[in-house]
Amino acid sequence: MDTAVCCFSGYRPEKMPQDMAEGSPAFLDMLSRLRNAIKNASENGCRYFLSGMSRGFDLWAAEAVLELKHSGCDIRLWAAIAFPGMDEYWEPEWQKRYGDVLLQADRIFPVAQKYSPECYTARDRFLVQQSSHCICFFDGVPGGTAYTVSLARRSGLTIDNLADMQLAFDSIR
């Protein structure tokens, strides 16, 4: 069946490992593995890729989906935004990337109509509830990614972790 949904979960840029600055060899390697994971998920039936649209991994993943889509891969990008305007206080570069991705998204799901303390957690639950597959970058750091990956694991999603699997999963047991 070619209708499965794959979500993404990962860190904001400041929570990525030190050697993973955007443009670094480690970062470029992670991007290559991300593209390969998206291609593999597509070959295994995922046609819809759902990004939570936060700075960092979410947007890198969304950009990778769009790149593959534009090169002929039959996939679609869905954007789950915690609330309209969630990018308002971001750096201008990230605001531009967010806006560019939103303009190209096949569907946009605003999870809340305005900011609330629980809107990001609600967005993370939405990501997992809609999906059967999760591509993540999780190396054990506590926070929203840990919550989402743990929820995905408990919900039985197939998980492709682009970080150290053993370290990550030991931390959420």
Side-chain angles (χ1 to χ4, degrees), residues 129-162:
Q129 289 166 350
Q130 303 307 310
S131 303
S132 59
H133 195 109
C134 178
I135 297 172
C136 64
F137 188 96
F138 176 62
D139 63 0
V141 175
T145 299
Y147 170 79
T148 305
V149 172
S150 177
L151 182 60
R153 190 169 182 224
R154 289 191 317 268
S155 299
L157 273 63
T158 300
I159 299 174
D160 290 329
N161 189 353
L162 304 181

Side-chain angles (χ1 to χ4, degrees), residues 34-151:
L34 174 59
R35 286 186 202 98
N36 286 335
I38 294 167
K39 285 182 204 171
N40 289 340
S42 173
E43 290 167 3
N44 287 304
C46 290
R47 287 292 169 258
Y48 306 101
F49 290 82
L50 184 56
S51 171
M53 298 297 291
S54 286
R55 292 179 309 109
F57 190 80
D58 288 357
L59 280 172
W60 296 323
E63 290 168 341
V65 169
L66 291 171
E67 177 187 315
L68 291 167
K69 178 182 174 182
H70 295 315
S71 72
C73 194
D74 185 21
I75 57 178
R76 303 289 176 267
L77 175 66
W78 289 354
I81 59 174
F83 61 96
M86 67 183 244
D87 65 322
E88 184 176 343
Y89 297 105
W90 296 355
E91 300 91 342
E93 174 196 342
W94 284 108
Q95 288 179 337
K96 180 177 179 349
R97 290 169 88 165
Y98 176 85
D100 290 346
V101 168
L102 270 187
L103 286 174
Q104 298 176 71
D106 295 287
R107 287 190 72 183
I108 300 170
F109 301 93
V111 176
Q113 294 308 308
K114 61 181 183 172
Y115 174 78
S116 69
E118 63 276 346
C119 67
Y120 288 101
T121 303
R123 188 243 358 234
D124 295 344
R125 281 193 308 271
F126 177 83
L127 292 170
V128 171
Q129 289 166 350
Q130 303 307 310
S131 303
S132 59
H133 195 109
C134 178
I135 297 172
C136 64
F137 188 96
F138 176 62
D139 63 0
V141 175
T145 299
Y147 170 79
T148 305
V149 172
S150 177
L151 182 60

